[in-house]
Amino acid sequence: MLSLLLYLAGNGFVGAFPSVLQGCSKLATLDMGNNMFFGVIPPWIGSRVPLLRILSLRSNNFTGEIPPELSRLSQLQLLDMANNSLTGSIPVTFSNLTSMSIKVPQNLSIQDPSNTMKYEDRINIYWKGQELIFQRTLRLLAGIDLSSNLLSHCIPEELTNLQGLQFLNLSRNHLSCVIPEDIGNLTFLESLDLSSNGLIGAIPPSFSSLSWLNTLNVSNNLLSGKIPTGAQIQTLTDPSIYSNNSGLCGFPLHISCDNTSLARDERKDEVEDHWMYYFVIAGVVFGFWLWFGMLFIVKTWRCSFLLFVDGLQCKIMKKMSR
Ligand SMILES: *[C@@H]1O[C@H](CO)[C@@H](O)[C@H](O)[C@H]1NC(C)=O
Ligand SMILES: *[C@@H]1O[C@H](CO)[C@@H](O)[C@H](O)[C@H]1NC(C)=O
Ligand SMILES: *[C@@H]1O[C@H](CO)[C@@H](O)[C@H](O)[C@H]1NC(C)=O
Ligand SMILES: *[C@@H]1O[C@H](CO)[C@@H](O)[C@H](O)[C@H]1NC(C)=O
Ligand SMILES: *[C@@H]1O[C@H](CO)[C@@H](O)[C@H](O)[C@H]1NC(C)=O
Ligand SMILES: *[C@@H]1O[C@H](CO)[C@@H](O)[C@H](O)[C@H]1NC(C)=O
Ligand SMILES: *[C@@H]1O[C@H](CO)[C@@H](O)[C@H](O)[C@H]1NC(C)=O
Ligand SMILES: *[C@@H]1O[C@H](CO)[C@@H](O)[C@H](O)[C@H]1NC(C)=O
Ligand SMILES: *[C@@H]1O[C@H](CO)[C@@H](O)[C@H](O)[C@H]1NC(C)=O
């Protein structure tokens, strides 16, 4: 079987996504980067070009949403859609990208029968903050780059299913919500860039299980709380990767978490104290009115109470006069 590669990168092409590619069912690599393509990314890529391993649409002006149908590309290892004008959310169906969810991507190449064929490939990959040209060793790499778009909503928790991912760049979008709690499941992640979004909450403790991570950037978000500790994350000593957030503390920042946590506890205690006061006051008021209310409402009780008080008074008077 022949593996087909199509490089159109950096040629100044202008136009919509070429529909002629619908006939290229054997295409394994499609690099359309650095052109002036525009319009939507057609959903048919998911079904008509099913053998794609590499899809780069980087630095064009594609608009609209990322079609969920792309998750049907079961061979896809590299998806680069950075630097376009894509909107909407990251499809939850991405958790179905089979070849990115295999735990050890290397196993893929060992077991893949198509590996016996002559498979020459070459692509420019942007990761760990630099551009590298990968050749041949490519089949050992799995990654997603959706940076510099207009994507919004949450990072789907389902993305943590892609346990073969080695790099993930979602920086410079409008993503909000918290970072998925199970992100530590991405065991082979080497490069993670979530910078310049609107992410809130704490950095999940599971970060400490990202034992291959050597490039991280979560700056320019609204994150707060303690930076997780752990063998690998401890080696990332550049404080700028955490800069411009709402209240991160702990190593490598020179902000101690002691004060902030203390302040939070105090505030909690205060709230609890207030509640106690309310309950005591409510109890007193209720008890008081229960007693007097009864006296006012029930005539016979009122009379016997007054008689009782009168009687008491008589007894006291008698005792005193003695
Ligand atoms: C983003 O794309 C524009 C053209 O659409 C290009 O001029 C620019 O250099 C690209 N930026 C990066 C970081 O690739
Ligand atoms: C991209 O397309 C949008 C909408 O069609 C347009 O407003 C914007 O100017 C374009 N950007 C570039 C860099 O061509
Ligand atoms: C993933 O694929 C399976 C089988 O094709 C399908 O049943 C399931 O709904 C898909 N999941 C998502 C999130 O699309
Ligand atoms: C994947 O490869 C590792 C060693 O590289 C091996 O221990 C493991 O059993 C393999 N997994 C599968 C499913 O073949
Ligand atoms: C992520 O993408 C942005 C912009 O597209 C780039 O500047 C940055 O270097 C990338 N991050 C990593 C870790 O490669
Ligand atoms: C992450 O891993 C844990 C433990 O292996 C598992 O229970 C959990 O379901 C995983 N989460 C996701 C989103 O796959
Ligand atoms: C982190 O990301 C921000 C914005 O995306 C960028 O300006 C900064 O240079 C990055 N820092 C590192 C250390 O890569
Ligand atoms: C801080 O991050 C926000 C995004 O969360 C961004 O709008 C703002 O420009 C950043 N400020 C600086 C000084 O980088
Ligand atoms: C924490 O408290 C110490 C002394 O009580 C103070 O010097 C330091 O500035 C405080 N840090 C923060 C972040 O409030």
Side-chain angles (χ1 to χ4, degrees), residues 167-180:
F167 72 92
L168 178 61
N169 193 342
L170 304 177
S171 72
R172 300 166 201 238
N173 278 290
H174 302 308
L175 298 168
S176 52
C177 318
V178 296
I179 299 173

Side-chain angles (χ1 to χ4, degrees), residues 115-317:
N115 222 21
T116 51
M117 73 188 179
K118 197 161 173 276
Y119 185 74
E120 295 248 340
D121 214 334
R122 184 188 60 80
I123 189 102
N124 296 18
I125 290 172
Y126 301 78
W127 75 327
K128 302 184 183 181
Q130 48 192 312
E131 181 179 359
L132 294 172
I133 298 172
F134 273 78
Q135 218 158 353
R136 294 184 193 205
T137 52
L138 194 60
R139 68 188 75 119
L140 305 182
L141 206 68
I144 295 180
D145 190 345
L146 303 176
S147 65
S148 299
N149 277 290
L150 304 166
L151 299 171
S152 52
H153 303 102
C154 306
I155 300 173
E157 184 74 45
E158 288 84 352
L159 217 57
T160 60
N161 214 22
L162 303 180
Q163 302 200 357
L165 273 191
Q166 286 153 292
F167 72 92
L168 178 61
N169 193 342
L170 304 177
S171 72
R172 300 166 201 238
N173 278 290
H174 302 308
L175 298 168
S176 52
C177 318
V178 296
I179 299 173
E181 199 182 324
D182 284 339
I183 194 145
N185 286 20
L186 302 178
T187 329
F188 296 98
L189 207 58
E190 291 180 42
S191 174
L192 176 63
D193 196 341
L194 302 176
S195 64
S196 298
N197 278 291
L199 300 170
I200 60 168
I203 299 177
S206 72
F207 257 65
S208 53
S209 42
L210 296 172
S211 49
W212 291 91
L213 195 69
N214 59 33
T215 307
L216 173 69
N217 197 342
V218 295
S219 65
N220 304 343
N221 278 294
L222 303 166
L223 300 168
S224 58
K226 190 176 190 300
I227 295 167
T229 49
Q232 187 57 28
I233 201 165
Q234 222 72 7
T235 66
L236 308 172
T237 56
D238 177 3
S240 81
I241 62 176
Y242 299 107
S243 65
N244 190 21
N245 274 288
S246 296
L248 285 175
C249 63
F251 183 83
L253 299 179
H254 300 293
I255 302 170
S256 156
C257 293
D258 296 347
N259 306 21
T260 37
S261 56
L262 205 70
R264 196 173 302 132
D265 286 350
E266 271 168 12
R267 215 178 313 130
K268 208 173 126 206
D269 285 351
E270 227 168 78
V271 171
E272 275 167 9
D273 282 354
H274 282 164
W275 274 109
M276 206 173 76
Y277 295 144
Y278 295 148
F279 276 121
V280 168
I281 292 167
V284 167
V285 168
F286 182 74
F288 181 83
W289 279 110
L290 192 68
W291 178 233
F292 275 89
M294 282 302 198
L295 288 184
F296 276 118
I297 292 161
V298 187
K299 198 175 172 186
T300 51
W301 286 18
R302 185 164 64 221
C303 290
S304 52
F305 175 73
L306 292 177
L307 280 175
F308 170 75
V309 172
D310 275 355
L312 208 63
Q313 208 177 0
C314 285
K315 277 181 195 162
I316 293 168
M317 296 289 257

Side-chain angles (χ1 to χ4, degrees), residues 6 8 15-22 30 32 37 42 44 62:
L6 181 58
L8 305 173
F17 197 99
S19 59
V20 63
L21 294 177
Q22 286 189 74
L30 176 57
M32 295 172 52
F37 287 109
W44 53 252
F62 286 112

